[in-house]
Amino acid sequence: MKKRRPASLSSELVETSRTGHHCPKTGWWSVAGDPRGMRLITKGEVMPALHGTPALWIMRGTVGSQGAHPAAGLMTTS
């Protein structure tokens, strides 16, 4: 019988950074636990605090050729 890997383990590495560290890669970042509050942070910029509290930031997407927000393509019109 094959061993199953938990769904939370992925072969892809997730880019993360903490408040006070330099941003490792330009892209759209959000605080862990709140993927809706994304902001564009550029490589080398110091990762910000969230409301004065240190935070773990997770990269949600890279900047495309026009710098579009990664969720922009998810909106549809009726």
Side-chain angles (χ1 to χ4, degrees), residues 19-72:
T19 296
H21 292 229
H22 292 276
C23 180
K25 192 182 293 183
T26 298
W28 291 98
W29 295 79
S30 70
V31 173
D34 186 14
R36 295 171 293 137
M38 285 191 275
R39 58 194 287 188
L40 180 63
I41 302 175
T42 57
K43 182 177 180 177
E45 188 176 338
V46 175
M47 299 303 282
L50 181 67
H51 308 295
T53 304
L56 173 64
W57 290 86
I58 300 173
M59 185 174 212
R60 303 294 180 178
T62 57
V63 178
S65 59
Q66 297 178 354
H69 191 283

Side-chain angles (χ1 to χ4, degrees), residues 6-19:
S8 62
L9 295 178
S10 173
S11 60
E12 294 180 35
L13 296 176
V14 175
E15 192 80 47
T16 62
S17 189
R18 294 193 177 274
T19 296

